[in-house]
Amino acid sequence: MKADGKAEGIERFISPGKGRGLRALKEFKVGDLVFMCPAYTYVLTVNERGNHCEFCFARKEGLSKCGKCKQAFYCNVNCQRGDWPMHKLECSSMCAFGENWNPSETVRLTARIIVKQKTQTEKTDSEKLLAVTEFESHLDKLDNEKKDLIQNDIAALHHFYSKHLEYPDNASLVTLFAQVNCNGFTIEDEELSHLGSAIFPDVALMNHSCCPNVIVTYRGTLAEVRAVQPISPGDEIFTSYIDLLYPTEDRNDRLKDSYFFSCECKECTTKEKDKAKLEIRKMNEPPKQEAVKEMIKYARNVIEEFRRAKHYKTPSELLEICELSLDKMGAVFEDSNVYMLHMMYQAMGVCLYMQDWEGAMRYGEKIIKPYSKHYPAYSLNVASMWLKLGRLYIGLEKKSLGVKALKKAIAIMEVAHGKDHHYIAEVKKELDEH
């Protein structure tokens, strides 16, 4: 890697109308590794403690815990030593606060950036093309609600991190939190379960498109960027910042809210997938336009209501919200409508949590075909749905269906994760055992 805004086969450039971007200097075929980027800093999510090593994110049994706080787990002494410069930020604080230690992941990540920026004066290996200090903050575009949330985060940072942290002034902290909100990444496993949050500066250089030509996956705390469409020299490299299931208006609402821009990619200008995504039931008397609009409004509200309800309702209450909303929307929407799929996906998640394997399988079977139609060809959402279904089938002794589903997952994962990824080795092992 050179330090002149170029890396092997890619370079930073000014993208017309978009500002900074990344473009290809050579040809990449589908499945090729375009570049990789180690995390500048990262945190394992609290829910995965004990399942994954805090330092390398390896998933294994029999991890050793930190002798002091007894809440961080490691593969071995080397991982524990490697993590200490960051873990010491939290260790004594976790001991002091006990059950009441609950800073958000954003706060934890930001604390680590502050420490890293103090100790690391040279550019790191993750900043070959873009430095953390160059991150866009969009401060001028934040509304009062977003500003208040940042002040809450700053208060939590002061509350939980008094011992090992030298704080910058309030204005610098506001900027830093705004930068993290726009440029942070969530690391997920092969079933898209949340593992943690991280900063990958060079990955953050890529602009968004709803028909991306690359996909980002993770190997521990290393981000890997692979081509999912053929890329020619001179082409801009685009990733997707958001879930691509939804229709154009919803995607752009989400982009405006989180990243402060509207997308003008081919998908957003032609809106060619919107009709299928908003499929209406075939009836003798088609529903009036007004009724469809009302139902879309209801669907958006119920999605938001469910997101909030997850924090305080019981699994059976959550399932009831899903079932009632599916009944109501089903009077107007086809099962392949993305709002139906969203609630089916939530219902499947609740069934998995409640270990109702049959229920989860039934929802998964309804979801998979429309998912394959609505998402791009090599989608992690589709791969993870095939994986979940395959594992459910095998657990329910439907072996041939299970094998078929797992093979479909592998076909996508070999492109998205690379053929030598340990996730693929694990799925192949499951196949061999059956």
Side-chain angles (χ1 to χ4, degrees):
M1 279 269 202
K2 311 176 192 75
D4 56 359
K6 287 193 174 130
E8 207 55 52
I10 51 171
E11 69 174 352
R12 173 175 166 164
F13 80 121
I14 296 301
S15 174
K18 290 188 169 68
R20 301 181 294 233
L22 195 62
R23 78 175 155 202
L25 294 172
K26 62 176 201 183
E27 190 182 328
F28 292 101
K29 295 193 291 294
V30 171
D32 281 355
L33 180 67
V34 178
F35 72 103
M36 35 192 190
C37 176
Y40 175 83
T41 191
Y42 54 91
V43 289
L44 181 73
T45 192
V46 171
N47 296 342
E48 288 299 333
R49 289 211 158 125
N51 301 325
H52 290 260
C53 172
E54 203 89 20
F55 181 62
C56 73
F57 276 36
R59 173 172 58 195
K60 54 168 83 163
E61 289 177 10
L63 296 167
S64 318
K65 62 172 87 165
C66 165
K68 195 173 166 201
C69 68
K70 307 207 173 7
Q71 290 192 55
F73 290 78
Y74 300 99
C75 295
N76 50 38
V77 171
N78 290 344
C79 281
Q80 188 163 5
R81 279 201 195 113
D83 198 44
W84 180 245
M86 290 300 161
H87 178 57
K88 74 176 179 193
L89 266 179
E90 300 184 343
C91 191
S92 49
S93 172
M94 274 154 55
C95 295
F97 283 97
E99 299 271 296
N100 299 320
W101 189 84
N102 59 357
S104 70
E105 232 159 272
T106 305
V107 170
R108 294 175 64 208
L109 194 60
T110 307
R112 292 177 180 219
I113 295 172
I114 293 168
V115 168
K116 184 107 176 184
Q117 287 181 331
K118 277 266 189 297
T119 54
Q120 183 87 39
T121 46
E122 300 288 299
K123 270 193 179 178
T124 63
D125 275 354
S126 46
E127 301 171 284
K128 294 197 164 128
L129 301 165
L130 183 71
V132 170
T133 49
E134 294 181 274
F135 278 175
E136 191 63 74
S137 68
H138 297 294
L139 270 184
D140 53 329
K141 304 188 184 89
L142 298 184
D143 58 24
N144 287 337
E145 190 187 344
K146 286 196 168 67
K147 285 178 183 161
D148 288 347
L149 289 171
I150 287 180
Q151 288 303 337
N152 292 347
D153 280 342
I154 291 173
L157 187 75
H158 282 287
H159 181 64
F160 290 111
Y161 288 89
S162 51
K163 201 170 167 190
H164 294 281
L165 210 51
E166 285 176 53
Y167 300 97
D169 58 76
N170 197 66
S172 308
L173 281 175
V174 170
T175 303
L176 184 56
F177 272 106
Q179 288 173 318
V180 171
N181 288 338
C182 284
N183 297 280
F185 287 80
T186 56
I187 298 182
E188 294 168 325
D189 70 8
E190 77 279 29
E191 285 197 359
L192 300 190
S193 293
H194 180 81
L195 296 183
S197 299
I199 297 291
F200 296 104
D202 289 351
V203 183
L205 182 58
M206 291 187 286
N207 285 312
H208 164 87
S209 167
C210 299
C211 17
N213 51 14
V214 298
I215 202 162
V216 184
T217 53
Y218 304 98
R219 201 178 286 252
T221 61
L222 178 75
E224 296 186 324
V225 178
R226 282 192 169 70
V228 288
Q229 288 185 40
I231 299 172
S232 303
D235 285 355
E236 179 160 4
I237 294 168
F238 289 108
T239 185
S240 170
Y241 293 179
I242 53 168
D243 187 339
L244 295 173
L245 179 65
Y246 301 93
T248 307
E249 191 185 338
D250 293 34
R251 292 196 310 274
N252 275 290
D253 283 350
R254 169 79 203 280
L255 289 167
K256 273 184 248 164
D257 183 57
S258 299
Y259 304 100
F260 310 98
F261 71 87
S262 292
C263 182
E264 288 164 12
C265 72
K266 180 171 153 279
E267 192 57 60
C268 288
T269 31
T270 64
K271 302 184 178 180
E272 62 187 13
K273 282 187 168 184
D274 282 6
K275 191 170 186 297
K277 288 181 174 188
L278 296 169
E279 191 86 46
I280 304 303
R281 259 200 195 293
K282 312 274 181 290
M283 294 184 262
N284 299 334
E285 188 70 32
K288 293 192 168 52
Q289 203 49 44
E290 204 43 55
V292 174
K293 269 191 184 151
E294 276 305 305
M295 196 54 85
I296 290 174
K297 197 169 145 193
Y298 165 78
R300 287 179 178 163
N301 286 339
V302 88
I303 287 172
E304 191 48 41
E305 181 203 333
F306 187 87
R307 195 178 63 77
R308 286 196 296 267
K310 270 180 166 173
H311 300 295
Y312 61 88
K313 285 200 185 298
T314 65
S316 49
E317 287 172 326
L318 291 173
L319 201 52
E320 195 178 358
I321 296 177
C322 295
E323 286 164 353
L324 289 172
S325 65
L326 285 166
D327 273 353
K328 183 166 177 174
M329 292 190 291
V332 174
F333 295 157
E334 201 54 77
D335 275 1
S336 60
N337 182 299
V338 293
Y339 297 122
M340 295 287 281
L341 294 172
H342 180 100
M343 293 318 287
M344 285 183 209
Y345 183 80
Q346 300 302 334
M348 183 182 182
V350 178
C351 288
L352 287 169
Y353 180 79
M354 293 165 76
Q355 301 192 348
D356 169 8
W357 311 127
E358 296 267 354
M361 178 191 74
R362 279 196 301 276
Y363 282 116
E365 287 176 333
K366 282 185 168 177
I367 293 168
I368 189 62
K369 208 166 158 198
Y371 257 34
S372 306
K373 184 174 157 192
H374 297 324
Y375 277 113
Y378 300 100
S379 158
L380 295 175
N381 300 75
V382 179
S384 83
M385 187 50 68
W386 278 123
L387 257 187
K388 286 176 181 168
L389 260 178
R391 287 167 172 168
L392 281 166
Y393 284 141
I394 284 170
L396 293 164
E397 301 190 347
K398 296 174 186 282
K399 190 186 148 189
S400 64
L401 286 172
V403 167
K404 217 157 135 188
L406 291 182
K407 283 183 173 167
K408 292 201 170 176
I410 288 172
I412 299 171
M413 290 169 76
E414 285 188 332
V415 169
H417 291 82
K419 290 185 174 167
D420 62 344
H421 198 288
H422 58 274
Y423 285 158
I424 295 173
E426 284 168 24
V427 182
K428 285 185 170 166
K429 193 170 160 226
E430 288 171 56
L431 277 174
D432 292 344
E433 286 164 3
H434 297 94

